[in-house]
Amino acid sequence: MAYIPERTGGSLLRGKISGLNFITKDDAPLNHLQQVEAACRAGIRWIQLRMKLADDMTFRETARAAREICEAWGCMLILNDRVELAAEVGAHGVHVGLQDMSVAAVRRLLGEEIIIGGTANTVEDIRRHHEQGADYIGLGPYRFTDTKKNLSPLLGLQGYRRIMTQLREEGIEIPVVAIGGIERGDIKALIDAGVAGIAFSGLLVRAKDWESTVRSLGQEIDDARDMLTIGDKTFCSRLFTGTGKFGSSGVMEDALLASGSELVTVALRRVDVRKTGMTGPAGNGDDLLLHLRHPHMHLLPNTSGVRTAKEAVFAAELAREALETHWLKLEIHPDPRWLMPDPVETLLAAEALVKKGFVVLPYIHADPVLCRRLEDVGVAAVMPLGSPIGSNKGLKTQDFLEIIIAQSRVPVVVDAGIGAPSDAAKALEMGADAVLVNTAIAASPDAIRMARAFRLAVESGRMAYTAKLALPSVEAVASSPLTKFLE
Amino acid sequence: MFRAIFQQYEWAAVKQSIYDKTAADVERALSRSHRDLEDFKALISPAAAPYLETMAQISHQLTIKRFGRIMQLYIPLYLSNECQNICTYCGFSYDNKIRRRTLSAGELLTEVGAIRQMGYDHVLLVSGEANQTVGTDYFVKALQVVRPHFAHIAMEVQPLDQEDYELLIGEGLHTVLVYQETYHQEDYKLHHPKGKKSNFGYRLDTPDRLGQAGIYKMGLGVLIGLEDWRTDSFFTALHLQYLEKTYWRTKYSISFPRLRPHAGGLTPKVEMTDRELIQLICAYRLLDEEVELSLSTRESPVFRDHAIRLGITSISAGSRTNPGGYAVDPESLEQFEIHDDRSPALIAEMIRRQGYQPVWKDWQ
Ligand code: SF4
């Protein structure tokens, strides 16, 4: 797995860090390797190997074997301390405690390509780790446990809230994983406080049935994180973006990083398919794509420019080949002036592409019946327009969007026409699952700042939706003409 | 399939969550423009009782907005009272010693004539479950007899397979009513101890089969009184929303049969008051502006006279619930006792007096 952390963007692990982490435990019913195996099998994708009692020899052997198991399951393996063994074992990362080597020293030793996590108990700890280039923080302990022998002060929920607020105020963006004696009932409050994930040790080691425990914990965390699932992917960010109309690729990259977006649409016609994109060695790839090489960013090729279903299918297959993704934003607009999507060709193409195994996200009019027809043929989401593309006019189709949202069986992504962050917030408040914004960010004189504004607006709109908006109060009815007969 | 969704819910938890709803939940539900199932729970909860007049006002307005001042009239035509099932609440239950009769083609035509005479252009064909004598073959023949005389034909018979429905739709069937009776699986078993009907799952899947067969309209409901009506109504609404999303070309209607005395004599486990029935009718309308809500002659004249302004869109009139009841054999035993035995003409007059127009065929 090519995993290249990006330290300047700050939020690189945002979409990537697993919400549910497991830390192996000494003196448990299963030995460390058995724990790794059980965790992988149960669905955990982020494991920290923590063997405080073992000598280097034993640790090395165990870590090697653990690495193999993790490889097979696609799980990240992080070593607790033992920095010098990380490269040899081939671990994805190391985690250093407060008494261990500093993050800066580890970074010098192991280079840019390794994930480094640091234990923290205070804001100062986090600040220091962050400045030294840590990728994530393990913040704790939450409550008393027997895992940590030299205990720092217990944080409790109040401690987490205080520290997370402080980080936000200082603008420090780094994924924080809560750790230390966390029980099932703590999950929602911790996630609400702002942590990205939760590390379990004792709770899992004690579990009789790992699989069902992991499933229910994971479900609870995902619910609390309010993730969006489309097809085979899960997103933290509900802001989808595009690559068009930016002043330069550099600005584009910074703006997209600032937006926190995890799904970026790329016009196939803008990608030079002769130079293969993402997987080729650096320098050999397409210039545009080089700027999108961030682990949390998924590409969504679009068929912009095609005019018929037939052309769309052809373009989709090209995109799958060139960009190695079966995700596709289906756009068919034969009319070059307004770029209005053609509903008939779109439905035909969607049906054909779903059959070919594509995850299809069609761009369409805010037409409730068309949405249902598209759902019937198996699209992964629908992308109705808010107003004419590039017009920045906002949600002119609001009434129709409301119907679509109310009856849709797949996620609804409002696409096109969103001109201001308030439009995006409005869409999310209405219950749209996500928005796609391109022009409004790209064409802003300060695209990076605008990207951040959209990110905050989308988060705020979604938060308002889940918190349930207050509504105009009900007017009292004085007389009772309709129900008097019941008295 | 709805079954997969249904299995994610637990009766006791749903019931608890309905009874936990507060006045604030009700007010929130009332003030929204699109309501979801949580709002529906609030509106059918005890906490909504003080808001009944507000609910009625909104329901009245929404119904007029969508349907106009129109009241559809329908009438059941009982084809047969033969039944192989034991249902604890039904006069036709296999273990009841009654005279059994299945209409012949000639008898059916006589009944059709009597119903046409009353003015109806729309009929609901009803039977028990006797698959040997009153199965798909019989229904095909019955439709062939009835079809030339009515603009719209509905059916309330045993659940059938998808192919059977497809066949019957080809013969002119528009609408099928199939009530789950109760979504409480254990209680369902208690009330349907014997016969094909005791298969809860097959009945639960029926609306899916109907949807896949491409039926024009289907009707859902539970038999109120078997179990906690609020919880059962939640599951009905859950079913309705699933169906509306999945088989979106189909129209839907809901009925509210309340248990009434009959030859078998089951007293309702849970009593529902008139106030509560109005609350339920209004809650459905507030949840769903398009769904048709229908009321049978099980209810009293005074109740029906008022209910037609509160969300109901179709009512029956002049009903007989025995095969041959209109002309062939008026004296035979009825399935349930009629509470409102006014003639269709009188009912139509009552409807007109309230400023509504009676319509004798299904609104198309
Ligand atoms: S309710 Fe229907 S199935 Fe049950 S006994 Fe009566 S007629 Fe037969």
Side-chain angles (χ1 to χ4, degrees), chain A residues 1-59:
Chain A
M1 179 174 180
Y3 196 87
I4 308 156
E6 168 62 47
R7 252 147 299 280
T8 49
S11 62
L12 79 138
L13 286 175
R14 217 178 115 80
K16 211 64 187 175
I17 201 155
S18 171
L20 173 53
N21 302 355
F22 171 60
I23 303 178
T24 65
K25 195 174 183 317
D26 288 324
D27 52 67
L30 300 179
N31 69 32
H32 287 271
L33 218 48
Q34 288 167 329
Q35 291 176 37
V36 170
E37 171 92 42
C40 282
R41 196 171 286 284
I44 287 193
R45 293 297 170 259
W46 187 291
I47 296 178
Q48 188 187 127
L49 187 66
R50 186 168 196 273
M51 303 172 68
K52 281 297 169 196
L53 308 173
D55 56 40
D56 271 5
M57 263 279 276
T58 321
F59 186 87

Side-chain angles (χ1 to χ4, degrees), chain B residues 83 85-87 89-90 92-94 127-129 181 197 335:
Chain B
C83 192
N85 292 319
I86 295 184
C87 302
Y89 46 80
C90 176
F92 294 168
S93 185
Y94 180 70
S127 78
E129 175 155 20
E181 317 297 12
K197 192 170 177 178
Q335 187 193 25

Side-chain angles (χ1 to χ4, degrees), chain A residues 72-285:
Chain A
W73 289 96
C75 174
M76 305 294 276
L77 179 68
I78 310 290
L79 304 186
N80 183 284
D81 201 7
R82 318 265 181 160
V83 173
E84 58 298 340
L85 293 179
E88 184 190 332
V89 171
H92 298 96
V94 292
H95 185 98
V96 291
L98 287 167
Q99 268 82 38
D100 304 332
M101 194 187 276
S102 76
V103 169
V106 180
R107 181 63 72 205
R108 270 197 302 280
L109 195 69
L110 297 178
E112 294 294 311
E113 305 246 330
I114 196 134
I115 297 171
I116 305 177
T119 299
N121 181 244
T122 62
V123 177
E124 292 72 42
D125 296 337
I126 298 178
R127 214 182 279 131
R128 187 179 65 250
H129 287 325
H130 180 60
E131 279 162 9
Q132 297 186 2
D135 294 302
Y136 75 96
I137 299 293
L139 179 66
Y142 183 78
R143 68 164 65 84
F144 177 78
T145 74
D146 57 354
T147 307
K148 293 250 178 187
K149 293 291 182 282
N150 45 358
L151 269 182
S152 305
L154 300 178
L155 292 175
L157 187 56
Q158 283 314 313
Y160 278 90
R161 286 195 176 132
R162 179 174 41 77
I163 292 172
M164 296 309 295
T165 309
Q166 178 80 27
L167 292 182
R168 268 194 296 275
E169 277 166 12
E170 294 185 23
I172 296 177
E173 284 187 27
I174 187 163
V176 170
V177 176
I179 180 172
I182 292 160
E183 299 289 337
R184 194 182 289 269
D186 307 321
I187 292 174
K188 176 137 179 22
L190 278 168
I191 300 278
D192 284 350
V195 307
I198 295 179
F200 291 98
S201 189
L203 185 71
L204 273 173
V205 170
R206 286 195 309 269
K208 284 204 189 64
D209 178 353
W210 283 64
E211 261 167 64
S212 75
T213 310
V214 166
R215 202 179 323 117
S216 68
L217 286 175
Q219 185 68 49
E220 224 163 290
I221 292 173
D222 281 355
D223 284 353
R225 291 220 289 183
D226 191 27
M227 309 277 278
L228 166 63
T229 303
I230 299 178
D232 55 342
K233 287 193 169 66
T234 304
F235 303 95
C236 292
S237 166
R238 290 167 183 273
L239 173 58
F240 300 164
T241 49
T243 56
K245 303 185 186 174
F246 282 96
S248 75
S249 295
V251 170
M252 177 196 79
E253 180 172 10
D254 288 345
L256 295 184
L257 284 172
S259 75
S261 181
E262 293 157 15
L263 192 66
V264 180
T265 187
V266 187
L268 185 64
R269 57 180 175 179
R270 283 197 62 203
V271 179
D272 188 346
V273 288
R274 280 161 309 171
K275 311 177 194 168
T276 38
M278 301 299 284
T279 48
N284 190 23

